[in-house]
Amino acid sequence: MSVTNDLLNTVLRHASQEVSRKEFLNLAGRGLAASVAAGTLAACQDKPSASAAATTPTTGTPAAQVDASTTYTAASGQQVASSEAVSPPAKVPAASDKPIELEAWKSDVDPKSPPTPTPMPPEQRVGYALVGLGHLTLEELLPAFGECKKSKPVALVSGSPEKLAKVAKQYGIKPTSCYSYADYDKLKDNPEVQAIYIVLPNSMHAEYVIRGAKTGKHILCEKPMANSARECELMIAACKEAQVKLMIAYRIQYEPYNRLVRDMVRGEKFGKVKYIQAQNSQSSANPDHWRHKKALAGGGALPDIGLYCLNTSRFLLGTEPTEVFGYMHSTPGNPLFKEVEEMMSWQMRFPGGVVVDSITHYDTHDSRFYRVNAERGWLHLDNGYAYRGQQLKTSHAEGPAKMQNQITVGTKNQFAAEMDHFSECILENKQPHTPGEEGLQDQRIMEAIYQSAREGRPVKLPPVSGTDVFRGPEPA
């Protein structure tokens, strides 16, 4: 024991010096304590507890018997306070997709922690080729792979060789897995690629989905699905013919706050829904951006950001609108809106008398929210359509008191959630929750809204009976 050695060294140092009675007793006491400690440790090592679930890695001492007060000698010889290493108890399932269950430490008074992450081994994840290296890909999608459990980037497609080379180095993409748009069809020869994510201007979606389907790869396509219902139909048909899956990237339907509101609405938390107010607005500045070219974007504020109001309302209610009435405006002389609309305001009538009142704008300060008004209360989701920062508030009455609550739930990266859902569909051969038919229905409704705005009258839609008619099974 080091304490015994210290005692001997001290006695030797003091051999030629006078030692006080107090000092001698102190040194002798240290030696006796060291002997007792050594004997106790030896006894513990000779008779280990059979029921001990956790032990120290060096001595095998049961966790319950570990003395937290130990020291570590640094290279300089200084003593540093420490404690004996021990692994806390845990249940470790054999299956890789089952979370490790750590010992409980919180009471029921506080929210429960989510399960520990269960990422798949990298070699088992679905490999994605990202087509287009613009804002969404560089700012959101590629970083989101870091939070994915079942997905990974393995290939890139771009028209810029310089950007392609730089991004490939940043994310560890092989040079042989970097393609130009002309080489896009060569993805069929890359076995690492199982899915293609189309992140291009709206006018290019149809071509690259159809070409992508011919490579035999599954397709995830950004919204809006295309510039016309006819293009959507061709995209669906091409994927069916090639026997590949097609999913539209409606990230809101995979985001926890929006899903919670959906569950509260359908569970009639505050009674039946009567009407919904929805707004999604932002300010634009570059008239040369593709979003302000009708041939590329198909429209302005409505298909780009107004679509969130439309699709989320359908998602919350589960039913389909029967009639729309739209009003469109663009400021004369504003170069941003020579070709596309600045603002679209519209109403949608749903079965049961529910009305959704929506507005989207390309020239106002950022505002993204919706409020669900029901019989006995309301739910308000601020930043409902944003990439992050959702805030959910509710209001209802209890006797003489008006109760207003703010609800907080665990957040997830929306893009990681949607990509992992698509990967799960590929791995388990399931239909995506937001298939091509979901995108086609939105396109048909948007075309009716444009028609209404042009003609100044309500436009009826074909009746659709049932719930979630255009959606696939619920995501895990």
Side-chain angles (χ1 to χ4, degrees), residues 200-238:
L200 296 168
N202 305 339
S203 62
M204 301 172 70
H205 288 182
E207 175 189 346
Y208 280 80
V209 166
I210 294 171
R211 288 172 62 187
K214 291 180 180 179
T215 69
K217 312 296 183 180
H218 303 286
I219 310 293
L220 176 58
C221 180
E222 264 302 319
K223 43 62 53 191
M225 185 173 174
N227 279 355
S228 70
R230 179 55 181 160
E231 289 177 350
C232 295
E233 292 168 348
L234 293 173
M235 294 158 71
I236 294 171

Side-chain angles (χ1 to χ4, degrees), residues 132-184:
L133 299 180
H135 283 281
L136 191 65
T137 300
L138 297 184
E139 295 172 3
E140 301 295 338
L141 299 181
L142 281 168
F145 278 105
E147 299 183 49
C148 284
K149 300 176 183 179
K150 304 177 181 180
S151 316
K152 62 182 178 181
V154 296
L156 302 172
V157 181
S158 174
S160 169
E162 297 81 11
K163 189 162 43 172
L164 193 61
K166 182 178 179 65
V167 175
K169 286 183 179 180
Q170 290 173 327
Y171 289 92
I173 307 296
K174 300 174 184 176
T176 53
S177 293
C178 295
Y179 304 86
S180 67
Y181 293 123
D183 292 335
Y184 172 65

